[in-house]
Amino acid sequence: MRSWSSPDVPVLADLGLGHGSAPSVHDSATGALQVLDGSGDARLYVCGITPYDATHLGHASTYLAFDLLQRVWRDQGRDVVYTQNVTDVDDPLLERAVATGVDWVELAERETQLFRDDMTALRVLAPRHYVGAVESIDLVLGLIDQLEAAGAVYRVDDDLYFDVHADPAFGAISGLDAEQMAQLFGERGGDPERAGKKHPLDCLLWQAERPGEPAWPSPHGPGRPGWHVECAAIALEHLGTTFDVQGGGSDLVFPHHEMSASEAAVATGEPFARAYVHAGMVALDGEKMSKSKGNLRLVSALRTSGRDPMAIRLALLAHHYRSDWEWFDEQAVEAQARLTSWRSAVARPSGPPAAQLVAAVRQAMAHDLDAPAALAAVDAWAARNGDDTESPHVVRTVVDALLGVSL
């Protein structure tokens, strides 16, 4: 699947500013900060969209968080292998296609392209591997074969299920008890009450063909992949085992990330990821933004209304990536004022020395991607005067490299 075009990212070392530190991030599995050190490529997997509707600010906030992580790694001097999926066949997509009378393939491509456009406008760095579920059928079937060999697959009618307790560590990522798991599993696409399952939490690997729905041939009969195994298979193919970060919104901790990790661990005998990093939820009108509820602020609508994409980006950066927060339209106005202030400051012939600002932004971003602290540091620099003629250029470059904001 085609990705979008990444913006060029300035290298601060080229300005004689050296390299930044390894980032630390909050690992959901341990509940503590984990330093993402190491040499060689940094490997990142972030769960992508199910393309049945347009990108809302909750989506954008999540992908922006992992854009920041990539920028900190790059400033450290590491290359990043970033993989993201597109769940371009799934129940919500098929249901929306039927409801709107649009072919499901056409709907998926239309909304995926809109997502690409939004990510491009927001200057989010593109994944190296942008992979659809439809093009990954063979990968999924290969992973199912590995799970079968491990004795972790069984059949209910013509569907295949994964025995989650084949993984002794199942539950370690979310830390939830059985009752909490069962409730969330039912709310988030699972089928805990299906008759014939060994355990209510066992999850679907391969769904047999249903009337009127797309299906692909397989040794198990025609059908399509389950959600969790899709991401496990794509991540293992493009990143290998024990990659650096599995990321996404906090609503994916359970069941999605828990089950993907268990499937991968049972199949390979290795941990799936070193850290599980999750962005908070964005609300509107008192409730989490949700396609199913329709309480959305769409990135494309804000752009069409004339909002500068960099102001949209700044409005999102004003909230720490792990926080849950609520969108109010006044935030777009405040972000535009901040953007105008910054642009005016870097347009001056001189400014305060930039060394302290560079250090402050690097420190904030390396410490759990603390974008609000970084924004405050730039605000403070922009409010002062100085006679350093190189400073405005340095600040413009730092804001571009680490915050992704084009001034």
Side-chain angles (χ1 to χ4, degrees), residues 61 64-65 67-68 310-321 325 338 342 365 369-373 375 399 402-405:
S61 182
L64 185 54
D67 176 78
L68 297 178
M310 293 301 91
I312 300 171
R313 186 174 176 110
L314 280 174
L316 298 173
L317 290 175
H319 305 272
H320 191 274
Y321 81 94
W325 54 279
R338 171 175 265 153
W342 288 12
M365 298 309 296
L369 309 176
D370 191 352
L375 267 57
V399 167
L402 290 174
L403 299 176
V405 177

Side-chain angles (χ1 to χ4, degrees), residues 338-349 381-382 407:
R338 171 175 265 153
L339 180 63
T340 299
S341 170
W342 288 12
R343 285 178 170 165
S344 296
V346 300
R348 296 179 305 204
W381 178 88
L407 299 179

